[in-house]
Amino acid sequence: MRVGAVHVMAVTETGVADHVSREWAAGRGGAIVTANVDIVRAATRDPALAALVARAELVVADGMPVVWAGRLAGTRIPERVTGASLVHTLAGRAARDGRPVYLLGGDEGVPEAAARALLERYPALRIAGTHSPPYGFDADPAARRAVVERVREAGPGLVLVGLGFPKQERLITELRPELPAAWFLGCGAGIAMAAGQFSRAPEALQRAGGEWLHRLALEPRRLLRRYLLHDAPFAVRLLTGALRARLRLLGR
């Protein structure tokens, strides 16, 4: 289902984990993009970012407006699948399948705290490594290559990359040739949430599409402009466009 410039797949969170397990067993790797409103907006504005998203094997709806837009347009997207939730779901599947996990991103000490939290929840999990790259590393080819080499040498089967879009997706494109059998999840703040640095919204608020209000309350200075000036108006246009598309189909 196309939402803006992004093709979002109608898949559940369990379906994502099942797919990753099957691909691990077959020796195939891949990447997952969790497409929230901000990612869809950026990709719709910039064809290069749309192409970056399209490289992923799985693109899931991380954001209720994305789910609603798909449903309004006539595609039954079954549920919201967030990067924060997939961190846990895929870590649990990695523990079951014997695949080591690497956590990349977050403030200093955060990926280590997230690893400890995941190990408490999944005692069989193997942590291949953790790393918090310095701010601006991605602008330095040598520093970026050092990060890639560090992950490659650890040999993980699952890499959780929490650097924000599009930085995390660009780094994933460099990592994939080095680890062709690994799976990569661009999880944004998912590592920080697993570490307890940020909390998730109450479940009822998540289902109602209001988790962005919770995040805004936690990080107003960073998110106010993005959410209110950019994402909210785009979400309205996204939903009205999906409704118009559905009405055109019904009128044929």
Side-chain angles (χ1 to χ4, degrees):
M1 168 66 206
R2 188 156 296 279
V3 178
V6 174
H7 181 77
V8 178
M9 299 169 184
V11 63
T12 64
E13 190 167 322
T14 300
V16 171
D18 289 344
H19 179 82
V20 170
S21 278
R22 289 192 298 269
E23 294 297 282
W24 272 333
R28 292 188 294 263
I32 304 166
V33 170
T34 56
N36 58 20
V37 169
D38 196 59
I39 289 176
V40 174
R41 178 180 64 84
T44 302
R45 289 168 56 94
D46 187 340
L49 295 181
L52 184 64
V53 172
R55 293 177 186 173
E57 278 69 24
L58 295 177
V59 180
V60 298
D62 179 353
M64 286 309 298
V66 179
V67 174
W68 294 332
R71 291 175 180 175
L72 278 173
T75 297
R76 181 66 183 176
I77 295 178
E79 64 183 20
R80 180 186 180 207
V81 182
T82 71
S85 294
L86 280 174
V87 164
H88 292 276
T89 301
L90 293 180
R93 193 59 64 95
R96 190 198 75 175
D97 293 353
R99 308 288 172 168
V101 177
Y102 196 103
L103 292 88
L104 178 62
D107 296 334
E108 187 174 351
V110 167
E112 291 77 17
R116 289 192 296 271
L118 292 173
L119 282 168
E120 287 180 10
R121 186 168 178 178
Y122 308 107
L125 184 65
R126 288 188 289 146
I127 301 298
T130 60
H131 185 44
S132 177
Y135 181 78
F137 83 97
D138 54 307
D140 180 346
R144 198 168 62 246
R145 187 63 203 172
V147 170
V148 170
E149 286 296 317
R150 185 168 178 163
V151 179
R152 182 187 63 78
E153 289 172 6
L158 173 66
V159 186
L160 307 175
V161 189
L163 298 171
F165 180 85
K167 186 187 298 185
Q168 62 196 19
E169 280 71 25
R170 287 174 175 152
L171 186 62
I172 286 169
T173 63
E174 294 188 51
L175 285 163
R176 289 189 63 179
E178 306 292 340
L179 294 162
W183 272 81
F184 298 85
L185 171 67
C187 59
I191 292 174
M193 288 182 177
Q197 185 179 21
F198 301 114
S199 64
R200 294 291 305 273
E203 191 172 337
L205 190 60
Q206 292 182 42
R207 289 197 302 268
E211 187 161 21
W212 67 276
L213 291 169
H214 180 77
R215 289 292 311 282
L216 182 59
L218 293 175
E219 300 182 89
R221 294 183 64 183
R222 188 174 77 85
L223 297 177
L224 182 66
R225 183 178 180 85
R226 181 203 299 180
Y227 281 1
L228 297 186
L229 296 184
H230 300 302
D231 288 355
F234 178 79
V236 171
R237 293 195 299 272
L238 195 67
L239 293 169
T240 55
L243 181 58
R244 284 196 299 268
R246 180 65 176 274
L247 291 175
R248 283 196 299 269
L249 284 174
L250 293 175
R252 287 180 180 177

